[in-house]
Amino acid sequence: MKKPGLAIICLVILSLFFASVPAYAERQEVIDGLNWLKANQNTDGSWGSSSDFRDTSTVIDALNVLGETDAALTDALNWLNSIPVESNDYIARRAASFAGAGEDVNADLDGFVQTQYINGGWGYYPDYASGIYDTSLVLNAFREASFMDISVIGRAFYFLLSKQNEDGSWSFVPDAPGDVVTTSMVLDLCFYYGVMYEDEALDSGVAWLLSQQNTDGGFGNSDSTAQSTAMALNALLMSGQIQAETLNSTVNYLQLNQLPNGSWNDNAYETAVVVKTLATMKPNLSIKAANISVSDSTPKTGEIMTISAEVKNIGKENAFDVPVRILAESPANEIIELAAETIASLEIGTTSTINADFDMTGRQGDYTIIVRVDEGNGIEELSEEDNEALKQVSIMPVPDLVISNGDIVFSANSVNIGDDVTVSASITNRGNNRAEGFDVAFYYDMVSPETYIGQVYINNLEIDETTSRNIEWKTSILGTAVNIYAVIDPQNALGEVVRENNQAFNSIEVVAVTEPNLKALHTDISFNPPVADQGGSVEISAIVRNEGFSQADSVDVAFYNGDPESGGVLLGNAFIANISQGEASSVSYNWTNIHDSGERMIYLKVDPSNTVAEFNEEDNDTFAALQIRSMPDLVISSNSIVLSPSVPKDGDMVQINVTLLNTGEQSASNVTVRALEGSTVIGTQSIDLISGNSQAAALFNYDTTGKTGNRQITISVDPENAISEQIEDNNLASRTLAVQDSDLWLTEQYISPDGDGIQDSTEFFFRLDVSQTVRIVVVSENGETVRTFSGSQLEDITDGSIIWDGLDNDGMVVDDGQYQIQIIGADNNTGVPPEIETIRR
């Protein structure tokens, strides 16, 4: 048997308002049973031989279902309320009875919520183990009180479904055979709450229950009983799976076993159970807003919308000849009947769909769709409260843009081919809403992307307003009747209902001419190579076409660097002896010694002096973009020179690391790099290739032996000027190397930070005996610290340097005077090292 997981139990709460049924509108068996119950009520208001709590609460439930409100019910409720109860069994029965009578039972329900076990069930007492029967009684109380906490109810059903036997039944006590009454109670609740996604479990439960019917038509664990039969009948009716033969035999058993006095077995409990079941054996015709659907959720004026209404019998008896009407109520409260049909038969649990077409021509605004079932209450039902449902639909007003053939006119009805003609189109809005933001597209000969002329935009067009728009067309085909089309809203952005009136055409005569027509297209310009080099050359090729009606002779073609109308420079000319009608000819020009770089627009002018008589002079010019790579530009700066160590002592070998940039787009080959001290060559290297916009490195070694003091290291790139560059004066850079013969060293004893590039700063070099972290301060004559240097470059080092540019910590130039640079250790001891160099500014 499939056991449930809590995550797959879904509950659909059904609303059956049994209490709304009028009293005595029942079958005879119910009336006789009710009369017997009232006649056999005890004087204290109870029923049963010893004022039985179960019997009394069950009779009250039957009275509630029948809609009884007389003294019998009042006395019974008073008696029930006077009895002290502690068990969940009795509290649940009392809550169900009082909830059915419309009383507040929230206190009892809150108690059940608080005492629900983690497994989802309840026991006979709060400290008893969860039981199937007691859990079902609590769920029944929740049902009567319309309690809707799905988390509480869902966990309860998880418990019940987990206790289902392999044969599909439920037992009254654990490890016992299946019990008809208990199984009926559980199935009744499952189908009432609409437990879904457990079809296998519920189907097996129904199958087991059906197997318990005896040959006499009744149900029971062995012999048939009125109670078991009534409860089984109720559960099977709720399932919607009972067949007519089973239904008839079961009801027949109950009828045959009713005593002449109206009771069953002279027992109040059994009589109440049967009366309650038989009283609810009525159809219940239901229509809800969710059961009404429309073919278009955003209907528009002029459309026809289909409305579908699903009518369901959620009762316990078949219904016949069910009248259904579908209506629409306008914003002005006009009632329009859309459909009136009769459903011949609607069996228990089945659905029938009624359709209606709603013609919305001339309608707009909010309409209410009304579906009424059994409008005259001719069918006795469990509830008449769910026989009408409403659904709101909003009909959107839409424009209706209209154009006719006569709305298209021309500036001239007969023109030469190649001439410009003005096409004017008048558009009218015949709809019931303004049209906002739409295009009008124009075509010649046919509506096709290949014959597209252009389009115009109309911002808005009010109702019944007409507007005109113009477009220019350069005639390109011949004919005595060339059709010119205007298409409104070609993207269908407005969502009009009628589109057939959005297109029209009119005819114009286009007459042949005899002149040639020279034409150049940007797609016909090509370059070899496709990307040119500054300083190099490129072949510019073009195709010139003659789309006219005669040969063109002596055609001049001019090539320009830039737009000749805006200062473009003429590169040169090429000539074509002749171009026949409908033919094309190639022409080229070789542009040499290119000085420009970057993207350049190369313009082509065919017949620039207009010496060839053409029928169209407007298509002789075109242009295309040419990319020109800039020449190499080898760049070196003092920052490109890195000396290691930066503070060498006499005898150290210094590595001179050089980073060389090529800021041009073209590559540079065989690049010579030379390192010098003064005029003495330290070394020369050759770099095979430096690609455009990239860099390369060179390395030189410099021996400082016997070379103390400041040494100027110079790097020269391409010293022989063998490489053509954009700029030649950025190929030389120098860096001062301070070779020390002591622990402290200054490159400048005197500085004058005035920005003239001469002695604006000094570099202070130092060496330490051991690795440590220091900070360096600049101190004035009166002992004030004006500048502090610290950071990662001064952490855990044995040598280093700083550059002081004469500025204080606030970035201001210090006053003239004598200053000291001090090295201070982590313990603030200025004696590390003790020597102090003085800088005079």
Side-chain angles (χ1 to χ4, degrees):
M1 176 64 63
K2 175 178 154 187
K3 297 300 180 183
L6 184 57
I8 62 172
I9 296 178
C10 176
L11 304 178
V12 179
I13 305 300
L14 303 177
S15 298
L16 301 179
F17 300 98
F18 299 128
S20 65
V21 179
Y24 304 116
E26 308 293 343
R27 58 175 74 220
Q28 190 61 46
E29 298 93 340
V30 173
I31 296 172
D32 293 343
L34 175 62
N35 291 336
W36 183 87
L37 287 171
K38 287 186 176 182
N40 285 273
Q41 186 175 20
N42 297 325
T43 56
D44 61 1
S46 68
W47 277 270
S49 59
S50 58
S51 299
D52 187 88
F53 194 95
R54 181 200 66 171
D55 291 6
T56 303
S57 64
T58 304
V59 175
I60 291 173
D61 293 344
L63 295 177
N64 287 335
V65 168
L66 291 169
E68 294 293 315
T69 58
D70 57 10
L73 177 64
T74 302
D75 293 344
L77 290 170
N78 289 336
W79 180 87
L80 199 66
N81 195 42
S82 69
I83 303 301
V85 293
E86 296 181 359
S87 70
N88 285 331
D89 185 304
Y90 279 15
I91 294 172
R93 292 180 186 276
R94 180 183 65 188
S97 296
F98 274 90
E103 300 295 331
D104 183 2
V105 294
N106 286 332
D108 288 337
L109 301 186
D110 289 341
F112 287 134
V113 172
Q114 297 300 322
T115 59
Q116 186 178 24
Y117 287 130
I118 193 170
N119 67 2
W122 288 268
Y124 184 78
Y125 282 105
D127 56 350
Y128 279 31
S130 297
I132 299 171
Y133 192 82
D134 298 296
T135 300
S136 298
L137 287 174
V138 173
L139 279 174
N140 183 61
F142 285 157
R143 170 170 63 179
E144 294 300 325
S146 299
F147 179 78
M148 297 297 184
D149 190 332
I150 300 302
S151 64
V152 174
I153 298 171
R155 285 192 293 134
F157 275 108
Y158 174 79
F159 168 74
L160 290 178
L161 292 171
S162 71
K163 297 300 181 181
Q164 188 177 20
N165 298 323
E166 290 295 328
D167 61 4
S169 67
W170 280 267
S171 302
F172 181 73
V173 294
D175 301 323
D179 178 64
V180 170
V181 170
T182 305
T183 301
S184 298
M185 288 180 65
V186 174
L187 290 175
D188 174 36
L189 290 164
C190 285
F191 289 117
Y192 172 81
Y193 277 106
V195 176
M196 300 174 68
Y197 309 116
E198 284 296 337
D199 294 341
E200 180 184 342
L202 300 187
D203 287 347
S204 66
V206 170
W208 181 87
L209 191 57
L210 287 169
S211 72
Q212 302 306 302
Q213 187 177 28
N214 296 315
T215 56
D216 59 4
F219 287 79
N221 293 330
S222 57
D223 295 335
S224 301
T225 67
Q227 176 199 0
S228 296
T229 302
M231 295 187 71
L233 175 60
N234 186 67
L236 293 171
L237 287 170
M238 288 293 289
S239 76
Q241 299 182 40
I242 190 170
Q243 301 298 319
E245 181 179 354
T246 302
L247 174 62
N248 293 334
S249 62
T250 305
V251 173
N252 186 58
Y253 169 84
L254 292 175
Q255 291 172 333
L256 290 176
N257 283 274
Q258 186 176 24
L259 299 178
N261 62 11
S263 73
W264 278 266
N265 296 326
D266 288 320
N267 183 284
Y269 175 70
E270 285 195 72
T271 301
V273 171
V274 177
V275 165
K276 182 179 177 182
T277 297
L278 294 178
T280 58
M281 283 189 60
K282 298 177 183 179
N284 190 53
L285 305 172
S286 175
I287 180 68
K288 298 179 181 179
N291 303 131
I292 304 173
S293 61
V294 293
S295 57
D296 187 354
S297 59
T298 56
K300 303 176 183 67
T301 299
E303 292 181 335
I304 295 179
M305 178 175 64
T306 299
I307 301 165
S308 298
E310 295 182 346
V311 181
K312 188 171 184 179
N313 181 0
I314 61 173
K316 299 179 181 179
E317 192 171 61
N318 298 338
F320 302 96
D321 298 326
V322 180
V324 181
R325 283 212 302 163
I326 301 179
L327 311 168
E329 183 176 2
S330 72
N333 303 120
E334 173 196 8
I335 300 296
I336 308 129
E337 183 172 86
L338 304 177
E341 295 187 21
T342 299
I343 303 172
S345 174
L346 198 57
E347 297 181 356
I348 300 169
T350 61
T351 299
S352 182
T353 301
I354 306 298
N355 297 318
D357 287 336
F358 185 16
D359 187 349
M360 296 174 291
T361 301
R363 302 186 184 279
Q364 67 182 60
D366 295 331
Y367 277 69
T368 302
I369 304 302
I370 307 168
V371 180
R372 291 174 180 164
V373 181
D374 189 27
E375 191 171 357
N377 294 332
I379 301 172
E380 187 177 344
E381 302 181 55
L382 285 173
S383 171
E384 302 286 351
E385 303 297 325
D386 52 357
N387 285 19
E388 180 177 285
L390 311 177
K391 185 179 184 67
Q392 300 295 324
V393 295
S394 182
I395 302 174
M396 297 170 52
V398 292
D400 183 17
L401 301 176
V402 176
I403 189 171
S404 64
N405 294 346
D407 293 325
I408 301 174
V409 296
F410 309 105
S411 55
N413 292 323
S414 179
V415 293
N416 292 332
I417 190 167
D419 287 351
D420 289 330
V421 63
T422 301
V423 182
S424 179
S426 297
I427 300 97
T428 303
N429 182 3
R430 298 297 185 198
N432 53 6
N433 194 20
R434 70 184 300 186
E436 295 185 355
F438 62 94
D439 295 315
V440 180
F442 294 85
Y443 303 84
Y444 66 89
D445 191 43
M446 67 178 67
V447 177
S448 167
E450 289 76 22
T451 59
Y452 176 73
I453 297 173
Q455 63 187 33
V456 294
Y457 179 78
I458 299 177
N459 187 48
N460 64 75
L461 193 61
E462 299 292 341
I463 300 171
D464 292 329
E465 182 184 2
T466 299
T467 188
S468 296
R469 291 293 188 274
N470 299 331
I471 197 167
E472 296 295 320
W473 177 48
K474 182 174 291 297
T475 55
S476 56
I477 63 171
L478 295 170
T480 57
V482 178
N483 292 335
I484 303 300
Y485 292 85
V487 180
I488 304 172
D489 186 26
Q491 302 87 2
N492 196 17
L494 297 179
E496 298 174 77
V497 175
V498 180
R499 297 280 303 168
E500 290 75 10
N501 53 14
N502 282 26
Q503 177 176 312
F505 70 90
N506 202 354
S507 300
I508 186 173
E509 181 182 36
V510 181
V511 181
V513 292
T514 59
E515 291 88 352
N517 183 51
L518 301 172
K519 187 174 185 178
L521 301 174
H522 73 278
T523 54
D524 290 335
I525 299 178
S526 61
F527 305 101
N528 184 25
V531 177
D533 285 337
Q534 185 182 19
S537 62
V538 62
E539 183 180 39
I540 308 170
S541 299
I543 298 174
V544 180
R545 304 174 187 276
N546 181 1
E547 296 185 353
F549 301 93
S550 61
Q551 178 174 293
D553 297 318
S554 302
V555 179
D556 180 16
V557 181
F559 298 84
Y560 295 86
N561 179 7
D563 185 356
E565 305 299 327
S566 304
V569 177
L570 176 68
L571 297 175
N573 297 77
F575 293 89
I576 303 172
N578 57 73
I579 308 175
S580 300
Q581 173 189 357
E583 298 295 326
S585 181
S586 297
V587 67
S588 62
Y589 174 80
N590 193 32
W591 182 15
T592 61
N593 194 22
I594 301 172
H595 295 289
D596 296 338
S597 63
E599 184 178 77
R600 302 300 299 173
M601 295 299 168
I602 305 302
Y603 276 75
L604 189 75
K605 289 181 72 70
V606 180
D607 188 28
S609 302
N610 291 332
T611 58
V612 179
E614 304 178 58
F615 70 77
N616 180 14
E617 299 285 353
E618 303 299 322
D619 53 0
N620 288 20
D621 302 348
T622 189
F623 64 90
L626 172 65
Q627 291 292 334
I628 304 174
R629 297 187 304 171
S630 60
M631 297 174 64
D633 188 15
L634 303 173
V635 179
I636 185 74
S637 67
S638 59
N639 291 332
S640 304
I641 306 170
V642 178
L643 305 174
S644 179
S646 59
V647 191
K649 61 181 182 296
D650 187 5
D652 285 348
M653 182 65 71
V654 176
Q655 284 189 341
I656 305 171
N657 295 280
V658 179
T659 301
L660 177 62
L661 302 179
N662 178 5
T663 61
E665 294 176 324
Q666 298 180 41
S667 299
S669 303
N670 301 319
V671 180
T672 299
V673 183
R674 183 170 295 156
L676 306 98
E677 180 197 352
S679 60
T680 302
V681 176
I682 298 173
T684 301
Q685 292 186 17
S686 178
I687 300 174
D688 293 339
L689 180 71
I690 307 177
S691 300
N693 294 315
S694 65
Q695 63 184 35
L699 176 65
F700 301 93
N701 291 317
Y702 175 64
D703 187 355
T704 64
T705 302
K707 299 178 180 180
T708 60
N710 292 339
R711 301 287 172 172
Q712 186 172 13
I713 305 301
T714 301
I715 303 298
S716 175
V717 179
D718 188 28
E720 308 301 330
N721 290 330
I723 300 172
S724 298
E725 300 184 57
Q726 299 178 47
I727 302 173
E728 296 286 354
D729 57 5
N730 54 8
N731 289 17
L732 196 68
S734 299
R735 184 74 182 265
T736 299
L737 175 66
V739 182
Q740 304 180 33
D741 57 1
S742 62
D743 290 336
L744 302 173
W745 188 265
L746 283 172
T747 59
E748 301 290 344
Q749 287 284 340
Y750 299 90
I751 63 173
S752 177
D754 53 8
D756 62 357
I758 302 173
Q759 289 185 279
D760 283 333
S761 63
T762 185
E763 188 168 5
F764 174 57
F765 299 89
F766 61 88
R767 281 200 301 267
L768 304 173
D769 293 336
V770 295
S771 178
Q772 56 187 295
T773 297
V774 300
R775 59 191 173 93
I776 299 175
V777 297
V778 181
V779 181
S780 66
E781 292 177 282
N782 58 10
E784 178 186 1
T785 299
V786 298
R787 184 75 175 270
T788 300
F789 297 88
S790 61
S792 59
Q793 74 276 14
L794 297 177
E795 294 177 357
D796 194 23
I797 57 174
T798 58
D799 60 65
S801 68
I802 59 97
I803 297 176
W804 185 46
D805 53 6
L807 303 181
D808 61 16
N809 287 327
D810 295 327
M812 305 295 294
V813 178
V814 300
D815 295 332
D816 291 346
Q818 184 169 319
Y819 294 82
Q820 292 181 340
I821 297 181
Q822 299 178 353
I823 304 175
I824 301 177
D827 57 359
N828 291 322
N829 184 358
T830 58
V832 183
E835 294 86 350
I836 298 174
E837 288 294 335
T838 302
I839 298 178
R840 184 178 303 278
R841 179 184 172 278

